[in-house]
Amino acid sequence: MRGDDTPGGALPEAPGGSARIDVDELPDGLVTADHDGTVLLVNRAAERLTGVSGAAAIGRHINDVLPFRDPDGRDWWKSLDPRGGLPTRSRQPERPVHLPGRQELLVAVRFVRRPERGGPVVRVVMTLRDASARARVERSRADLVSTVAHELRSPLTSVKGFTATLLAKWDRFTDAQKLVMLQTVNADADRVTRLITELLDVSRIESGRLEVHRQVVDMPARARRIIAGRVAAGEPEDRFHLEVRGELPETWLDQDKIDQILANLVENGVRHGRGTVTIVMEPVEWGVAVSVRDQGEGVAPELVTRVFRQFWRGNGRRRGGTGLGLFIVKGLVEAHGGTISVQRAPGGGAEFRFILPTGTPDFA
């Protein structure tokens, strides 16, 4: 799998004398061909994606060994036309193609010219990627739009209806009736605010723009605050139990995000579980472990890998919520350098256990 100007299948040596990079180490597929379409190089990732070995492809025309077709079934190499087009053309943006009987691929192209500006094409460099990941992202975005539309419709309809009714018939209602309507409007406005907050969190997690502002956090105190809030909202006090085992080390965390993690996990236990929701905190070798347990049905083994995906709502049943809570929890835990998992609780039900590292932030 060697090209005419890449001896040993390696990319040129980097400045400073660092080691060459073998093209087989690249995460994406790489195929090069000359201006006539004769294959010069196929790396290991390209072999895996196309099912064609470099030994079988090199020296043959690309259409004989890699007959790529565009979504309309047209000959991709012919439409690429390396010899045609403007002499300043240097690349083709990423486009979907497929080989007969195989999955869709994403191909981006660079035209190597000699001389570089305005010269004829001497080599075509192609990178290949599996399109299934992008397809999953697109489906996820479509699901997100659908979920947002569904979740917003109900509270906005309520807010609009009650507001319009109050404006049109204010004098016909008693103070008690007005209070009920305004409380409903307020609750639905809070619901919309929560949804928007969740969507912003999802966006930051997916884009890697989630910021963590660290400070010393008293984990048991934060848990007590979450429990107190649930009780104040009408939950029975004996529904919750906090257990702190041993002396916890000092932790530098983002307090608001820790509140969000604990609140989402407790909410999940209340919504999808039964019985007492127990929070257990204990020191571990490199941090603090927190377990949130319920006494419900637990998570079926075949669903464990899906729990932290977007739109998971508990054993495949819709029980309210957007299905974004656990996805956000995982993103917030990992932003702190921690890990999270789900397993069966000692007394039955589900146990969500996350571990956060100790230490102080680097202010340098």
Side-chain angles (χ1 to χ4, degrees):
M1 294 181 292
R2 300 180 180 180
D4 56 349
D5 62 347
T6 54
L11 297 179
E13 188 171 348
S18 59
R20 293 173 180 266
I21 300 175
D22 192 316
V23 295
D24 286 333
E25 297 175 357
L26 297 176
D28 292 338
L30 178 68
V31 176
T32 64
D34 64 17
H35 64 282
D36 288 323
T38 301
V39 177
L40 305 174
L41 180 146
V42 179
N43 76 343
R44 189 171 298 157
E47 290 181 328
R48 175 178 53 81
L49 291 169
T50 64
V52 176
S53 71
I58 292 174
R60 300 176 62 189
H61 194 276
I62 191 168
N63 273 346
D64 293 333
V65 289
L66 296 171
F68 292 126
R69 294 291 182 269
D70 66 17
D72 296 322
R74 295 173 298 192
D75 182 325
W76 174 79
W77 179 263
K78 186 176 181 180
S79 63
L80 184 66
D81 188 18
R83 293 189 173 191
L86 295 173
T88 56
R89 186 173 57 144
S90 62
R91 58 186 291 273
Q92 183 189 72
E94 191 172 68
R95 294 182 182 178
V97 299
H98 69 275
L99 289 171
R102 296 191 68 86
Q103 79 273 23
E104 187 177 70
L105 300 173
L106 300 173
V107 179
V109 174
R110 180 172 180 266
F111 300 104
V112 180
R113 297 179 179 274
R114 294 290 183 268
E116 184 176 349
R117 292 179 178 272
V121 173
V122 297
R123 189 166 61 257
V124 179
V125 180
M126 297 161 268
T127 58
L128 312 177
R129 293 194 299 125
D130 187 349
S132 58
R134 189 175 76 169
R136 286 194 298 270
V137 171
E138 291 175 349
R139 285 195 300 270
S140 176
R141 288 174 179 169
D143 289 343
L144 187 61
V145 171
S146 176
T147 298
V148 171
H150 175 80
E151 296 293 335
L152 285 176
R153 185 181 296 116
S154 177
L156 289 179
T157 299
S158 171
V159 169
K160 176 62 178 175
F162 279 119
T163 303
T165 300
L166 285 170
L167 288 173
K169 303 176 181 180
W170 179 268
D171 295 333
R172 300 185 186 182
F173 296 109
T174 65
D175 287 345
Q177 291 172 324
K178 293 174 184 176
L179 179 61
V180 170
M181 291 185 183
L182 289 173
Q183 287 174 333
T184 304
V185 169
N186 184 62
D188 284 331
D190 287 342
R191 182 177 166 189
V192 172
T193 301
R194 285 195 300 271
L195 176 59
I196 293 172
T197 300
E198 287 184 340
L199 294 175
L200 289 173
D201 287 336
V202 169
S203 174
R204 293 187 184 106
I205 289 169
E206 290 188 330
S207 64
R209 293 185 290 107
L210 194 66
E211 295 183 357
V212 175
H213 304 285
R214 297 181 183 270
Q215 63 185 83
V216 177
V217 173
D218 185 337
M219 295 284 284
R222 305 321 298 172
R224 294 187 191 99
R225 180 178 180 275
I226 298 300
I227 292 173
R230 301 290 308 196
V231 173
E235 295 281 352
E237 189 171 354
D238 60 2
R239 180 80 195 271
F240 307 98
H241 175 67
L242 172 63
E243 180 180 344
V244 181
R245 299 175 178 174
E247 184 178 351
L248 301 181
E250 182 179 88
T251 52
W252 285 73
L253 308 166
D254 188 312
Q255 183 168 284
D256 291 339
K257 291 178 174 58
I258 293 303
D259 285 352
Q260 191 174 357
I261 291 169
L262 292 171
N264 281 9
L265 290 177
V266 169
E267 169 71 18
N268 183 76
V270 171
R271 186 186 297 274
H272 299 289
R274 291 193 301 269
T276 302
V277 176
T278 301
I279 303 174
V280 179
M281 298 184 176
E282 56 189 335
V284 292
E285 182 177 358
W286 55 275
V288 174
V290 180
S291 299
V292 180
R293 304 167 178 168
D294 63 61
Q295 297 175 326
E297 301 171 6
V299 179
E302 64 271 17
L303 297 178
V304 166
T305 58
R306 291 190 248 162
V307 165
F308 297 106
R309 295 180 185 175
Q310 295 180 27
F311 313 119
W312 186 82
R313 291 186 174 88
N315 290 349
R317 294 188 293 274
R318 292 182 65 93
R319 298 186 183 179
T322 61
L324 297 174
L326 292 177
F327 173 82
I328 292 171
V329 164
K330 183 174 186 290
L332 296 179
V333 169
E334 291 179 347
H336 283 84
T339 60
I340 186 168
S341 61
V342 60
Q343 58 196 17
R344 186 169 182 80
E351 176 181 337
F352 288 85
R353 178 180 174 87
F354 64 92
I355 301 176
L356 299 174
T358 57
T360 57
D362 183 4
F363 292 104

